[in-house]
Amino acid sequence: MSDKKLWSALLVPGLLLGSFLQTAQAQLEVSGYYKNLFVKSRTLGLVAPQESYDLDLNRLRLELKGSLTEETTFNVQYDNEVLLGSYLETNQFLVQKNLPSDTFFNLNRTYADDTLAYARHGFYRAYLDTRVVGVDIRVGRQRIAWGSALFWSPIDIINPFDPTQIEREQRVGVDALTVDWDYNDLSRLSLVYAAHDDPVRDTTAIRWRTNITRFDLGLTTGRFRDDTLAGFDFAGQLGSMGLRGEWTRTWSPVDGQYQRAVLGADYSFPNTLAFMVELYYNGQGKNDASDYDFGRLLSGKIQSLAQRYVGALVGYDISPIWKLQNYYIQNLDDSSEFLYLRLIVSATDNIELAAGTQIFSGKNDSEYGTFEDNFTMQLQWFF
């Protein structure tokens, strides 16, 4: 997208918001955080010789939200990021930073780009909520969260999620119009149109959700970028155990017709020890490692390479300020494994410290055996 289009995309929401603020008694709330994330690892050996690197990410996120009228609210989240470290000198970073945006507007701009520092800023979220004759309408850069799975979600494909990413809370948004109609206390009908820079990859979808005997049930169908999809999901409690499942059938011009399904359960003990497990079948994947397409995986077009997986989370609050999280995934087709260990400390009421490591194991041509272990340290200050 050209600079002119970029600044038009940034300027128009700003002018509209400014006009609203001048004509309405807006109630404003300002919050945000500063995060420093340090990563030490090695580049992948898929396209170039491997290199050890360190990366220091600094992110300032400012969130402005408020109400313009009794029925209309807004939320704007602005990010300013500065990346430092030897990772900026690698071929892997050169490829990563040039990946195209999967949205309609490019709301980010790079203002420094050399081997000493890479800096960018833009909008993480920017949307307006309003209510018209009992219908909720949201327009702008938003996160559309459909589905309830932890690692893999066949339903949640408007904003697909990489189950091995370091920042698990980071979810890229889309530029969309969402209409939600709660036609009774337990049921909702949702319509979504998400625009893409390439009109062929626009998303148009409809979702119906209700609750029957303590279980949320949902039906979803639509065209998601290049693919047509229909699916079913459920989530609820069976005694003291949580159960959830999702199933979809997809018709794709690239992958043909395939199914995806996930089944999960979770249980928490009174002493804060919590277990969660998921089984995942991915009909889009391959059962032979020689057929893996790492290019599509690294570009974010797919999130998994194989067909059969199991994932688990074990969490435990050691004390009110110390927390332990262990994420584990096994690719059942090639026997490769992924383990993510994190120790989180609430240093103060608004400062959180964390240390973690991601460990990948398996044969050289396997999914997780191809990736490199890493060590991370994080400081996050909320305000």
Side-chain angles (χ1 to χ4, degrees), residues 10-62:
L10 295 174
L11 185 61
V12 171
L15 291 176
L16 290 175
L17 179 58
S19 176
F20 274 123
L21 295 179
Q22 289 178 359
T23 58
Q25 297 297 317
Q27 299 176 359
L28 302 179
E29 179 182 336
V30 180
S31 61
Y33 68 75
Y34 164 74
K35 175 186 284 189
N36 177 267
L37 174 63
F38 175 81
V39 182
K40 189 168 186 63
S41 186
R42 299 177 67 198
T43 59
L44 305 182
L46 293 173
V47 295
Q50 289 187 292
E51 307 171 70
S52 296
Y53 71 82
D54 54 76
L55 171 65
D56 187 67
L57 179 147
N58 299 269
R59 178 188 300 128
L60 176 64
R61 175 169 296 167
L62 300 175

Side-chain angles (χ1 to χ4, degrees), residues 33-231:
Y33 68 75
Y34 164 74
K35 175 186 284 189
N36 177 267
L37 174 63
F38 175 81
V39 182
K40 189 168 186 63
S41 186
R42 299 177 67 198
T43 59
L44 305 182
L46 293 173
V47 295
Q50 289 187 292
E51 307 171 70
S52 296
Y53 71 82
D54 54 76
L55 171 65
D56 187 67
L57 179 147
N58 299 269
R59 178 188 300 128
L60 176 64
R61 175 169 296 167
L62 300 175
E63 181 176 4
L64 175 67
K65 61 182 179 181
S67 57
L68 301 175
T69 68
E70 189 173 327
E71 299 289 346
T72 304
T73 63
F74 64 88
N75 186 299
V76 177
Q77 298 179 37
Y78 166 81
D79 280 358
N80 196 318
E81 292 184 343
V82 178
L83 280 64
L84 308 169
S86 59
Y87 186 60
L88 307 183
E89 304 175 28
T90 65
N91 289 325
Q92 184 171 305
F93 176 68
L94 179 64
V95 172
Q96 180 185 7
K97 71 179 182 180
N98 289 322
L99 289 175
S101 171
D102 206 21
T103 58
F104 182 75
F105 292 115
N106 182 3
L107 300 184
N108 298 288
R109 184 176 180 84
T110 300
Y111 60 90
D113 187 0
D114 56 44
T115 57
L116 297 177
Y118 178 82
R120 60 196 175 196
H121 70 123
F123 291 110
Y124 179 69
R125 298 283 186 266
Y127 57 83
L128 193 71
D129 278 319
T130 190
R131 187 171 181 83
V132 180
V133 292
V135 174
D136 296 314
I137 299 174
R138 173 176 291 182
V139 59
R141 174 65 56 87
Q142 58 188 280
R143 156 83 170 140
I144 300 172
W146 289 354
S148 59
L150 176 67
F151 293 101
W152 308 275
S153 180
I155 294 291
D156 191 12
I157 63 171
I158 298 179
N159 300 116
F161 172 67
D162 178 0
T164 66
Q165 69 183 49
I166 294 174
E167 294 188 275
R168 294 187 57 85
E169 72 281 1
Q170 278 289 105
R171 304 295 179 96
V172 177
V174 291
D175 302 316
L177 170 67
T178 305
V179 179
D180 293 320
W181 176 35
D182 296 325
Y183 59 90
N184 63 42
D185 292 340
L186 299 177
S187 303
R188 166 176 288 189
L189 186 65
S190 299
L191 301 174
V192 167
Y193 170 72
H196 194 278
D197 192 41
D198 179 359
V200 176
R201 291 175 59 79
D202 288 354
T203 292
T204 305
I206 183 171
R207 175 171 169 80
W208 172 76
R209 191 182 66 186
T210 192
N211 183 281
I212 300 176
T213 62
R214 300 177 64 190
F215 271 82
D216 291 326
L217 306 176
L219 295 174
T220 304
T221 187
R223 181 170 178 81
F224 297 84
R225 297 182 173 90
D226 296 330
D227 302 337
T228 301
L229 175 147

Side-chain angles (χ1 to χ4, degrees), residues 130-364:
T130 190
R131 187 171 181 83
V132 180
V133 292
V135 174
D136 296 314
I137 299 174
R138 173 176 291 182
V139 59
R141 174 65 56 87
Q142 58 188 280
R143 156 83 170 140
I144 300 172
W146 289 354
S148 59
L150 176 67
F151 293 101
W152 308 275
S153 180
I155 294 291
D156 191 12
I157 63 171
I158 298 179
N159 300 116
F161 172 67
D162 178 0
T164 66
Q165 69 183 49
I166 294 174
E167 294 188 275
R168 294 187 57 85
E169 72 281 1
Q170 278 289 105
R171 304 295 179 96
V172 177
V174 291
D175 302 316
L177 170 67
T178 305
V179 179
D180 293 320
W181 176 35
D182 296 325
Y183 59 90
N184 63 42
D185 292 340
L186 299 177
S187 303
R188 166 176 288 189
L189 186 65
S190 299
L191 301 174
V192 167
Y193 170 72
H196 194 278
D197 192 41
D198 179 359
V200 176
R201 291 175 59 79
D202 288 354
T203 292
T204 305
I206 183 171
R207 175 171 169 80
W208 172 76
R209 191 182 66 186
T210 192
N211 183 281
I212 300 176
T213 62
R214 300 177 64 190
F215 271 82
D216 291 326
L217 306 176
L219 295 174
T220 304
T221 187
R223 181 170 178 81
F224 297 84
R225 297 182 173 90
D226 296 330
D227 302 337
T228 301
L229 175 147
F232 166 79
D233 63 281
F234 70 89
Q237 291 290 130
L238 186 62
S240 56
M241 181 180 295
L243 292 177
R244 63 192 171 278
E246 302 176 22
W247 170 87
T248 59
R249 179 181 291 275
T250 303
W251 293 264
S252 167
V254 176
D255 300 301
Q257 185 178 146
Y258 61 89
Q259 299 181 68
R260 295 199 299 160
V262 64
L263 181 63
D266 60 81
Y267 184 83
S268 297
F269 291 93
N271 65 353
T272 75
L273 182 64
F275 291 93
M276 188 174 294
V277 64
E278 284 183 0
L279 296 173
Y280 177 50
Y281 172 74
N282 174 31
Q284 185 184 24
K286 310 297 181 182
N287 54 24
D288 188 336
S290 63
D291 294 327
Y292 287 169
D293 189 342
F294 282 96
R296 295 180 70 193
L297 180 70
L298 296 175
S299 66
K301 293 181 179 179
I302 57 176
Q303 285 68 55
S304 302
L305 293 172
Q307 292 188 344
R308 300 177 303 139
Y309 294 86
V310 60
L313 165 65
V314 178
Y316 181 64
D317 293 349
I318 302 172
S319 75
I321 64 172
W322 292 82
K323 181 183 299 184
L324 185 65
Q325 294 178 337
N326 299 309
Y327 298 90
Y328 172 78
I329 297 176
Q330 183 178 54
N331 179 326
L332 299 176
D333 289 322
D334 63 24
S335 299
S336 61
E337 298 173 297
F338 163 76
L339 179 65
Y340 187 10
L341 305 174
R342 291 191 80 209
L343 180 64
I344 303 168
V345 184
S346 298
T348 68
D349 289 341
N350 61 341
I351 296 179
E352 183 179 274
L353 306 175
T357 182
Q358 291 188 326
I359 301 171
F360 299 87
S361 63
K363 297 179 181 179
N364 291 336

